[in-house]
Amino acid sequence: MHLRAIQIPIIVHVILGLPKETLDDMLQTIDYLSNLNIQGIKLQLLHILKNTDLANYYKENFFSVFTLEEYIDVVISCLEHLSPEIVIHRLTGDGSKDLLIAPTWSLQKRHVLNRLHQEMKVRKTYQGRMIPCLQNH
């Protein structure tokens, strides 16, 4: 990684919930990234925004988008597979209220983050929990 050679941190942006993407696909991405020399990650919920190719595709080929509960489950699974050496810069994003078609629950970013934090406490889980060499620590 040439950027690392000149001391530039690498932050990766991952969109979760692409059409036809499975949980296994997402976890494979996280596992792959955990083994790279990256310093940060931004996890982003797929937003369908007006006047985009994705909005047109959504209208023509309706596909489901995450519910809040599904997104929380996916993010927790991703975090459990993510190396604790990688700094998390984002766990969700917020689309423009005027442009967002779906999922509308994502407009309540603080609520989403609070639910995520709460569910991680309930599950007694943490970043890197599913990485074999870190288990039992």
Side-chain angles (χ1 to χ4, degrees):
M1 299 213 168
H2 301 295
L3 293 174
R4 293 302 301 137
I6 57 173
Q7 304 296 317
I8 295 176
I10 299 168
I11 317 295
V12 177
H13 191 140
V14 177
I15 299 173
L16 301 171
L18 296 169
K20 300 180 184 178
E21 184 178 40
T22 66
L23 177 59
D24 189 53
D25 295 332
M26 291 177 258
L27 294 180
Q28 283 182 32
T29 298
I30 297 301
D31 290 342
Y32 174 77
L33 293 172
S34 286
N35 290 301
L36 292 181
N37 185 15
I38 65 170
Q39 289 64 57
I41 192 167
K42 294 181 178 187
L43 297 176
Q44 169 68 50
L45 167 68
L46 178 72
H47 287 120
I48 301 171
L49 302 176
K50 294 177 185 173
N51 305 317
T52 64
D53 289 341
L54 183 60
N56 294 334
Y57 181 80
Y58 182 70
K59 285 180 193 173
E60 294 169 10
N61 309 284
F62 179 80
F63 57 91
S64 62
V65 294
F66 286 132
T67 64
L68 173 58
E69 293 74 20
E70 290 169 333
Y71 188 67
I72 296 293
D73 284 342
V74 166
V75 169
I76 289 173
S77 293
C78 288
L79 293 176
E80 289 175 332
H81 284 79
L82 184 67
S83 167
E85 301 296 316
I86 298 173
V87 175
I88 300 165
H89 291 258
R90 177 183 298 154
L91 291 168
T92 188
D94 33 11
S96 168
K97 187 177 183 177
D98 298 333
L99 297 177
L100 185 65
I101 296 171
T104 55
W105 58 261
S106 67
L107 291 170
Q108 300 172 328
K109 188 174 184 178
R110 184 175 302 261
H111 175 70
V112 173
L113 294 173
N114 287 339
R115 286 283 307 276
L116 176 62
H117 185 180
Q118 184 178 44
E119 189 61 25
M120 288 191 75
K121 277 185 171 181
V122 167
R123 295 183 192 188
K124 297 179 180 170
T125 195
Y126 53 90
Q127 184 177 346
R129 184 179 76 81
M130 297 302 290
I131 298 172
C133 65
L134 297 178
Q135 291 177 352
N136 302 323
H137 286 354

